[in-house]
Amino acid sequence: MPVEDDGIDEFVCQAQRSGAASSGHHNLNYVLPLPERPAQLIGSEQGTPVLVRVPRAEAASVVIRTWRNEADLLESLKGLLPHAPRCLARTATATVLTYVAGTPFSRVCPDGKPVDSLYISDMAHLLAQTTAVRREALPPLPGYWPRDDQDSRSYLRTLALSADRQIRQPNWPAYGGLLNALGIAEDALVRLAEHVPAMTRRPYGLLHADLHRDNLVITDHGNPRLIAVDWELATYGDPLYDLATHLVRMRYPESQKAEVIAAWAGAVASVTPAAADGLDRDLPRYIAFEQAQSAFPDIVRTASSLAWSPHQEDLDKVLHEAALSVHRALEDAAEPLRLHAIPNADKVRDLLRPWQAPSPDNWSPPRTVQPVGPHHEKLDPDAQDAVGDGQAGCPAFA
């Protein structure tokens, strides 16, 4: 089990004072060598580099989480996925993980750039390997999780309701007015869940669910060439969802997507053969969901960034880029969220303008329109016959 000790608390404080920090959406990450005392506690050599991860207290709730603690998941994966990072120690406010030495894939091959076929093969095998990890090997799942470990339809419903519960609801008091003004209804994700059609049954497995260029490391030793890091959004369910999130978040050129899909299907064939059943019909449904739920964090992050922008000398440019970003998110989510009229970029810019602030000192979220009243979920994610088989206006859900 990961070590818990006062000496680890002191090491975490040292990391925050002097470590090499990098900032993600959800955590502050510090890389530094182990001093003598923490090394003894952990059972590692003094000077071994480790990663100290401290959750960002101010981070908005904009992701779906299956497990609250990444450390518990990584502990369960020892011996199952040998190249996954390991949790060495934990405190009340941080975790200490093994450090993967290498270069972030995003530095070598930024978003939108073609990916070498060797790396596509490596990523496909990374995703395939996780599908072999079953429920009994993992930390306990939430009580609302589907009980049938092959029910793809219930899994997609569960994802949609989880996105509403964990992303939309916490952000609605501050951002509901803006979302309404952009055309997104309060119950958009619940309605999406209500209209998930029949889907092919596939065996559930562990999913990384966030395998993009920043979460891949090209290793220094080259064996393996790639390692997946940042498992905090991992989940358990239909393997096709892992492929969908990878395709959306990896930002491949359009011309490479067919190659990626074929590589994934070939890789899972030797690990979980049934994982690719119904791929042609059901993959577009998961991609549509991913684009739908992504609109919420994209809009929330963009709007909140305007209040904290360090580029106060060029507010018009910042606002213009923010409007384009939000407009793209709306276009991607238009069909699955059934957005009837997407405001143009100029209108989006006008709606975002009140979110700009010359100083964050006295800032509070503006009210574009009054949000509607309290939301109540209507759908039991385990119900098999309570919903229809089609969603008007969204080909992926037909």
Side-chain angles (χ1 to χ4, degrees):
M1 293 294 291
V3 175
E4 300 182 44
D5 187 274
D6 289 344
I8 302 299
D9 284 307
E10 295 173 7
F11 176 57
V12 169
C13 291
Q14 176 190 342
Q16 292 176 287
R17 289 193 302 268
S18 59
S22 62
S23 178
H25 286 306
H26 315 121
N27 300 286
L28 295 172
N29 299 301
Y30 304 87
V31 178
L32 71 168
L34 281 170
E36 181 180 4
R37 172 63 176 159
Q40 290 174 345
L41 291 170
I42 290 171
S44 296
E45 290 187 17
Q46 182 177 350
T48 301
V50 295
L51 177 69
V52 177
R53 172 167 286 176
V54 181
R56 295 172 63 100
E58 76 281 7
S61 177
V62 290
V63 293
I64 302 171
R65 294 182 186 274
T66 301
W67 295 288
R68 292 178 60 89
N69 198 315
E70 181 187 22
D72 292 336
L73 173 64
L74 294 177
E75 178 68 15
S76 73
L77 296 182
K78 286 197 308 184
L80 296 175
L81 295 178
H83 300 298
R86 291 187 299 109
C87 181
L88 302 172
R90 68 172 78 183
T91 71
T93 60
T95 54
V96 181
L97 307 176
T98 54
Y99 174 64
V100 178
T103 305
F105 191 83
S106 56
R107 290 188 193 169
V108 175
C109 188
D111 283 352
K113 297 294 185 182
V115 177
D116 186 280
S117 293
L118 283 175
Y119 287 130
I120 288 177
S121 176
D122 288 343
M123 285 181 271
H125 281 90
L126 282 174
L127 292 172
Q129 288 167 11
T130 68
T131 67
V133 180
R134 299 287 179 254
R135 180 191 292 252
E136 55 270 18
L138 299 169
L141 290 159
Y144 55 81
W145 219 251
R147 292 182 288 271
D148 181 345
D149 279 7
Q150 294 191 27
D151 189 344
S152 304
R153 187 186 195 190
S154 285
Y155 180 63
L156 181 47
R157 288 197 209 130
T158 298
L159 288 174
L161 294 178
S162 296
D164 184 75
R165 186 183 306 114
Q166 297 186 36
I167 302 174
R168 199 279 307 167
Q169 290 185 31
N171 289 295
W172 196 258
Y175 298 93
L178 175 62
L179 291 164
N180 271 166
L182 291 168
I184 298 178
E186 182 186 20
D187 64 348
L189 289 167
V190 171
R191 284 191 290 117
L192 188 154
E194 288 172 345
H195 292 88
V196 174
M199 296 173 66
T200 300
R201 291 171 61 81
R202 282 173 291 273
Y204 288 9
L206 175 67
L207 318 178
H208 184 282
D210 197 27
L211 196 67
H212 55 74
R213 300 184 194 224
D214 286 329
N215 285 347
L216 286 159
V217 175
I218 302 173
T219 60
D220 287 345
H221 49 75
N223 184 27
R225 278 185 294 258
L226 287 180
I227 288 181
V229 296
D230 287 359
W231 288 79
E232 61 183 331
L233 303 188
T235 184
Y236 179 75
D238 185 347
L240 212 51
Y241 179 58
D242 222 1
L243 174 60
T245 59
H246 179 63
L247 286 169
V248 172
R249 302 181 190 189
M250 191 73 179
R251 300 191 184 278
Y252 288 102
E254 194 65 32
S255 60
Q256 283 201 301
K257 290 183 179 178
E259 179 186 357
V260 175
I261 293 169
W264 179 86
V268 299
S270 62
V271 179
T272 310
D277 289 353
L279 184 154
D280 291 342
R281 184 180 68 163
D282 289 345
L283 179 60
R285 292 165 177 163
Y286 280 116
I287 290 175
F289 164 73
E290 177 63 14
Q291 292 172 326
Q293 72 88 13
S294 292
F296 292 84
D298 287 350
I299 292 167
V300 167
R301 284 171 174 156
T302 299
S304 62
S305 71
L306 293 173
W308 315 101
S309 173
H311 307 293
Q312 297 297 320
E313 71 284 355
D314 201 357
L315 292 178
D316 287 342
K317 179 181 178 182
V318 170
L319 184 61
H320 175 73
E321 292 175 351
L324 292 179
S325 175
V326 168
H327 189 259
R328 283 193 297 269
L330 292 172
E331 287 186 319
D332 287 344
E335 286 189 350
L337 291 183
R338 295 192 289 184
L339 306 183
H340 301 298
I342 298 176
N344 62 31
D346 289 340
K347 177 62 174 176
V348 173
R349 185 167 59 248
D350 291 341
L351 292 171
L352 289 175
R353 193 179 302 278
W355 292 78
Q356 277 193 315
S359 168
D361 295 340
N362 297 309
W363 181 87
S364 62
R367 296 286 185 182
T368 323
V369 296
Q370 284 296 319
V372 295
H375 167 81
H376 300 284
E377 286 184 11
K378 302 175 183 177
L379 182 66
D380 176 358
D382 287 330
Q384 294 300 307
D385 54 4
V387 299
D389 284 340
Q391 179 171 347
C394 182
F397 283 80

